[in-house]
Amino acid sequence: YERYDNVQGAFKMLQEEIDLEGKDIILVDDMMTSGATIAEVARLFVPYGVAKIRGIVGCGPVAALTQCP
């Protein structure tokens, strides 16, 4: 869980007055190790009422990728 601790609070919304209600969000990351970065960034969008949050990564460990739904 160290990676999750490292990114906790590391990101913020630059524009807080934005209407994302019911929108689908796609987050893109170049590499996934633990998924902590995408999870932390996705957490920022929850209060805005987004419909879906999906993550796309360029590469990552085989074990982690096979566990993704």
Side-chain angles (χ1 to χ4, degrees):
Y1 296 100
E2 183 178 334
R3 290 187 186 273
Y4 287 89
D5 291 340
N6 289 341
V7 296
Q8 188 173 14
F11 305 100
K12 69 176 187 174
M13 297 293 281
L14 293 178
Q15 185 177 353
E16 293 185 8
E17 300 297 323
I18 187 168
D19 181 18
L20 298 175
E21 185 84 28
K23 306 273 191 210
D24 294 344
I25 302 294
I26 299 175
L27 303 175
V28 180
D29 198 355
D30 61 344
M31 182 174 193
M32 182 182 79
T33 305
S34 66
T37 301
I38 285 190
E40 180 66 12
V41 173
R43 184 186 65 77
L44 296 176
F45 288 95
V46 172
Y48 291 89
V50 299
K52 292 181 186 174
I53 303 171
R54 299 183 187 265
I56 297 174
V57 295
C59 62
V62 174
L65 293 175
T66 58
Q67 295 174 8
C68 294

